[in-house]
Every structure is written in structure tokens, then in C-alpha cells.
């Protein structure tokens, strides 16, 4: 009996996802936060402590990062975790369009999204830019 899920196409998509996650998660908490990132992370930290402060221009990032800060110990890596996850998941979007653009172009697009320097850089910043791109 042939396994329908273990195809060459699915293995290639999985390889693109692993490559994207590796580029986005390697050394994620090593660098300090910039002033802009620290401002958003401090808002999330205040939210996690129950202080209802003025939520800035990125409420989705602040609320969910605040939840992570509430559950886990705060760190630079945790402040950048949600954007890294969203940036990695963005690689799987071409699967939804493979019927329209074809199998091979969608695989190539997945690998292109995995190694795109702009998307890798946006995924490694503690803000809501890549979340906006991913959910758009």
C-alpha cells in the first residue's frame, strides 16, 4: 500500500520548511533588541503582568508576546519567537496555489521564500511586520 503523504513533493515542501526554520531560528536570542523592538517587548511585558497600558500600533504582536511572557520566562528569543514562526510558516503558502501555478513552480517559490533575505530579516525582528505579511 502506497503512502499518500510521503511523496517527493511533500518531502520538498518539508525541506523548504526546515531550511526556513533553520535560517530564522539560528541565534534568534543572541542579539540584543533594538530600541523599537524593546519598546514593543516592554509593552508586552507590561501586558503579561496585568498592567493595562496603552497598546501601541501592533496589538497582535503585543498581546500574543505578552501571553508568551506570562507563560514562559522573558527573553530576547521569546520576544522574536512569533515573527520567526510566522516567517517559517510563510514558506508553506505556495502549497495553497499549486493547482493554479503548477507543482514545480510552487516548490521553487517555497524555497525562494525560505531563503529570501528580506523575509529572513523581517522574521528575525521583534515586531509585527512579518505577521502582517503572513496573515495578509
Amino acid at each position: 500500500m502506497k503512502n499518500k503523504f510521503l511523496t517527493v513533493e511533500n518531502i520538498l515542501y518539508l525541506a523548504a520548511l526546515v531550511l526556513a526554520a533553520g535560517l530564522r531560528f539560528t541565534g534568534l536570542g543572541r542579539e540584543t533588541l533594538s530600541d523599537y523592538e524593546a519598546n514593543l517587548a516592554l509593552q508586552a511585558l507590561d501586558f503579561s503582568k496585568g498592567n493595562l497600558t496603552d497598546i501601541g500600533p501592533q496589538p497582535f504582536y503585543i498581546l500574543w508576546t505578552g501571553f508568551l511572557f506570562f507563560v514562559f520566562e522573558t527573553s530576547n528569543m521569546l520576544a522574536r519567537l512569533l515573527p520567526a514562526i510566522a516567517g517559517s510558516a510563510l514558506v508553506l503558502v505556495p502549497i495553497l496555489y499549486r493547482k493554479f501555478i503548477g507543482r514545480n513552480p510552487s516548490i521553487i517559490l517555497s524555497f525562494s521564500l525560505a531563503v529570501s533575505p528580506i523575509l529572513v530579516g523581517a522574521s528575525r525582528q521583534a515586531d509585527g511586520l512579518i505577521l502582517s505579511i503572513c496573515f495578509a
Side-chain angles (χ1 to χ4, degrees):
M1 186 167 168
K2 190 174 181 181
N3 190 349
K4 293 182 180 182
F5 296 107
L6 194 59
T7 63
V8 173
E9 182 180 4
N10 290 343
I11 291 172
L12 288 173
Y13 284 122
L14 182 62
L17 180 64
V18 169
L19 176 64
L23 289 174
R24 285 156 177 80
F25 285 101
T26 302
L28 194 60
R30 192 175 321 143
E31 295 181 25
T32 59
L33 298 174
S34 68
D35 290 340
Y36 180 71
E37 292 174 313
N39 184 24
L40 292 174
L42 286 173
Q43 288 180 22
L45 182 62
D46 283 344
F47 179 75
S48 72
K49 292 181 179 179
N51 301 332
L52 294 177
T53 61
D54 186 26
I55 294 180
Q58 300 183 15
F60 185 84
Y61 171 79
I62 292 169
L63 295 176
W64 283 103
T65 304
F67 175 73
L68 289 176
F69 284 169
F70 177 74
V71 174
F72 303 107
E73 185 177 341
T74 60
S75 68
N76 290 346
M77 194 276 304
L78 198 59
R80 293 181 174 133
L81 182 66
L82 287 177
I85 291 171
S88 297
L90 191 61
V91 171
L92 299 177
V93 169
I95 293 174
L96 302 173
Y97 299 103
R98 66 181 164 199
K99 289 183 181 178
F100 302 110
I101 63 175
R103 187 180 121 192
N104 291 338
S106 70
I107 292 171
I108 292 169
L109 182 58
S110 286
F111 277 99
S112 299
L113 292 172
V115 298
S116 169
I118 293 172
L119 293 178
V120 171
S123 298
R124 295 178 59 86
Q125 291 182 354
D127 63 5
L129 174 65
I130 197 71
L131 298 171
S132 300
I133 292 170
C134 184
F135 294 122

